[in-house]
Amino acid sequence: MANFTSKRPIEEDSSSDSSVEDEHDSQDEEMGEDEELGENDKEVQVEFAGQSPIAEDYHGIKSLLYQLFLKAHINLGGLADLIIQQNYIGSILQQCTESSDTDSEEEGNSEDEVFGITSVINLTHHKDVECVKEVREYLLKKTKQKLAELFNNSSNMIGLLLNERFINIPPQVSVPLLENLCKEIAAAKEAGKPFDFTHFILISKLHESTRKGPESKKKKTKGADILWVNAEEEPISEVGQVLGEYSVRSESDSAVSGTWDEDDEQFEPKRRIVLITAAQLPDVLIKIKEFLQ
């Protein structure tokens, strides 16, 4: 079990940072010396840290879960409580500050500092917990009962992977978080805790182009008709088995689904349910790293 009692910076790929900086430099040159960046176009360097979830993070975690489940009939507060109760598994993402130790402690406990959550909930071990029952029912409905056999087999131990963060946080931050999660799962398993998973389920957020016609078909062959909210989840979808995909337009608002001008290409906000085996997880991590290089 990793010690998250003090903040630990998550280092991002330096090559990725340099490429981003080069891109911004070239864009700045094109804009000209007299033209300044707009308020929303300024590049901001932010350092994040992973930390074990605590009670003060409850509302921040719940808000991130809402990004995923929206208006589904699921007690998100109950799920947040489960994540906090098993705080030896998973991490929340917080912004590093240069304040004094006292200030850092106060800010570290601030619920509005939860920028992301990476964890796993055991849908088998907690199957009698009401909020987990609701998640299982939700998954069965959205996959048209494709998970029924998996759920009904008592030899299976199924985990719900949670990989949520604020929009615009670079996907590279997911690599150390997911790697650490795997280490914590292995440590918990060795300690005899109920984390000996056989399968993992991931619900991904994506937007799919609604454009019709030859141009749309041409784009589809290139995979450009789908925008992934969390880019690192694309290779997971390629490795795993897609069990369901559905629109959430009726449940989304502009903050979640985005807005476009009339002349822009329109996108449908969706969710995709992917199943992977525990044996596939190491390969998934390798593919995520390669994908984000």
Side-chain angles (χ1 to χ4, degrees), residues 18-254:
S18 61
S19 64
V20 173
E21 291 174 359
D22 291 343
E23 181 180 350
H24 279 284
D25 289 342
S26 62
Q27 289 175 349
D28 291 346
E29 291 174 2
E30 293 175 2
M31 292 174 68
E33 294 179 356
D34 296 331
E35 186 175 358
E36 296 181 357
L37 286 171
E39 182 68 24
N40 295 328
D41 296 324
K42 294 180 181 177
E43 182 178 357
V44 179
Q45 297 294 333
V46 180
E47 187 176 23
F48 292 99
Q51 193 171 19
S52 289
I54 57 177
E56 286 78 6
D57 300 319
Y58 170 85
H59 291 289
I61 294 172
K62 185 178 177 182
S63 295
L64 288 166
L65 292 175
Y66 178 80
Q67 286 186 176
L68 180 65
F69 291 107
L70 298 173
K71 298 177 182 178
H73 181 64
I74 295 173
N75 182 353
L76 302 182
L79 291 181
D81 281 333
L82 275 180
I83 291 170
I84 294 168
Q85 288 168 14
Q86 57 173 42
N87 65 354
Y88 50 88
I89 293 286
S91 313
I92 60 165
L93 195 64
Q94 293 186 323
Q95 182 178 340
C96 293
T97 64
E98 297 179 357
S99 306
S100 64
D101 293 341
T102 303
D103 291 340
S104 295
E105 183 176 352
E106 291 175 356
E107 291 177 3
N109 290 334
S110 176
E111 62 194 32
D112 62 0
E113 277 204 352
V114 181
F115 288 86
I117 176 69
T118 301
S119 190
V120 61
I121 291 178
N122 193 325
L123 299 180
T124 303
H125 181 74
H126 297 297
K127 65 181 180 180
D128 294 325
V129 177
E130 191 61 31
C131 62
V132 174
K133 283 183 182 179
E134 293 168 347
V135 171
R136 287 167 63 105
E137 291 171 4
Y138 175 85
L139 291 169
L140 286 170
K141 178 181 179 181
K142 296 303 184 181
T143 61
K144 298 180 180 179
Q145 302 297 313
K146 291 178 183 177
L147 283 166
E149 184 176 351
L150 198 72
F151 282 158
N152 292 333
N153 188 336
S154 59
S155 65
N156 291 326
M157 187 77 75
I158 305 162
L160 175 67
L161 275 177
L162 297 171
N163 180 48
E164 288 299 309
R165 62 179 179 271
F166 283 4
I167 194 169
N168 293 334
I169 294 180
Q172 286 78 10
V173 78
S174 67
V175 174
L177 290 172
L178 289 170
E179 286 181 330
N180 194 73
L181 178 65
C182 291
K183 292 176 182 177
E184 290 175 333
I185 289 174
K189 176 182 173 182
E190 290 180 5
K193 299 182 186 297
F195 288 90
D196 188 7
F197 294 110
T198 58
H199 300 80
F200 294 100
I201 295 172
L202 175 71
I203 306 174
S204 292
K205 304 194 301 290
L206 53 92
H207 295 89
E208 185 171 15
S209 171
T210 59
R211 178 182 293 178
K212 305 296 181 182
E215 189 173 353
S216 175
K217 292 180 180 179
K218 182 179 178 181
K219 289 185 67 180
K220 190 166 186 178
T221 60
K222 298 179 181 180
D225 63 325
I226 293 179
L227 300 176
W228 294 83
V229 176
N230 293 334
E232 71 277 5
E233 293 177 1
E234 182 175 350
I236 299 178
S237 180
E238 293 173 353
V239 171
Q241 180 183 1
V242 177
L243 298 181
E245 186 171 304
Y246 50 95
S247 172
V248 292
R249 178 174 291 278
S250 63
E251 303 176 43
S252 302
D253 55 30
S254 59

Side-chain angles (χ1 to χ4, degrees), residues 239 279-288 290:
V239 171
Q280 289 176 307
L281 194 55
D283 185 47
V284 164
L285 287 175
I286 292 173
K287 289 188 178 297
I288 289 175
E290 294 173 347

